[in-house]
Amino acid sequence: MATYESFIKLNGAVGDLVFYNLNGKNVVRKKSGFNKTAYNKSPTYEKVRQNSFEFGHCSKVGKIIRLSISNYIELANEVLLYQRFAKVMTNIKDLDVEHEKGKRSVKSGLKTNEGRNILQQFQFGNIPNFNQNTYISLSLWDRTLHLDKKIVADEVVIVSIKIDFENYLTESFEEEIKLRNQTELIFKNHFSEEDDVILFVAIKKASQIVQMGFV
């Protein structure tokens, strides 16, 4: 990029040069070598297209999940949480062995035990998540949340999140359950077994969240 002085004001392309005004200065630069048609079809850009598609996919999935629990994420008070969460989506996507590179998805990555573990280990700011002693078991009609016996709380919030990976949409149900010294809580199964569902849990003590994360 260079500046120029001339009594003739130029604006637009002339040959391989582009003239325009930037912050009150006359600027000239060479045309970009980017070609949209070549980008879409040329083998030279194949890896770029693959990375671009997967990056966009992970960003979109991360965003819709975050939006479904936005009220809780705000409590973490972490400005760059969205970046860490996008990285988690990428790590989960990398576990997809069903599709070739460029078509891998978070959905397929979450089908693996390692993918689920990566999601469950994500911590929101300084708020502790859960260890292996807190987990979900499934039955035909309902689900059971098994809590670590060391957890001291009086209320549990369970958010069931159904993810539409094709259209990047979510549907969620939030259920609040009062604790009375029990370590097993039965809650409703709001979606069918065929749906792609993840579960977010928040543990409260005196109305304050003391633990939260995916289970």
Side-chain angles (χ1 to χ4, degrees), residues 67 118 147 168 179 183 186:
L67 287 174
I118 289 175
L147 296 173
Y168 297 106
L179 276 178
T183 58
I186 296 176

Side-chain angles (χ1 to χ4, degrees), residues 84-133:
R84 289 200 303 114
F85 198 65
K87 178 62 175 177
V88 164
M89 295 295 103
T90 298
N91 292 340
I92 294 173
K93 174 268 300 178
D94 289 343
L95 297 171
D96 178 1
V97 295
E98 298 180 9
H99 305 95
E100 61 186 16
K101 189 173 182 180
K103 298 181 180 179
R104 294 175 298 180
S105 70
V106 176
K107 176 180 179 178
S108 294
L110 282 173
K111 292 179 182 179
T112 67
N113 290 332
E114 187 176 352
R116 287 279 181 173
N117 288 336
I118 289 175
L119 182 64
Q120 291 165 4
Q121 290 167 8
F122 184 83
Q123 181 171 328
F124 294 87
N126 294 321
I127 302 175
N129 56 9
F130 303 101
N131 59 34
Q132 60 184 358
N133 295 324

Side-chain angles (χ1 to χ4, degrees), residues 6-55:
S6 173
F7 65 90
I8 301 176
K9 293 184 178 180
L10 299 175
N11 187 25
V14 179
D16 291 334
L17 301 177
V18 178
F19 296 84
Y20 58 99
N21 186 276
L22 179 64
N23 297 327
K25 293 183 179 181
N26 295 318
V27 177
V28 58
R29 64 172 174 79
K30 292 190 68 174
K31 283 185 177 179
S32 169
F34 179 79
N35 183 292
K36 186 175 181 180
T37 301
Y39 173 81
N40 290 329
K41 297 182 178 181
S42 173
T44 304
Y45 291 101
E46 179 61 26
K47 288 187 177 180
V48 178
R49 289 195 297 268
Q50 291 174 352
N51 293 334
S52 178
F53 174 82
E54 291 187 350
F55 176 80

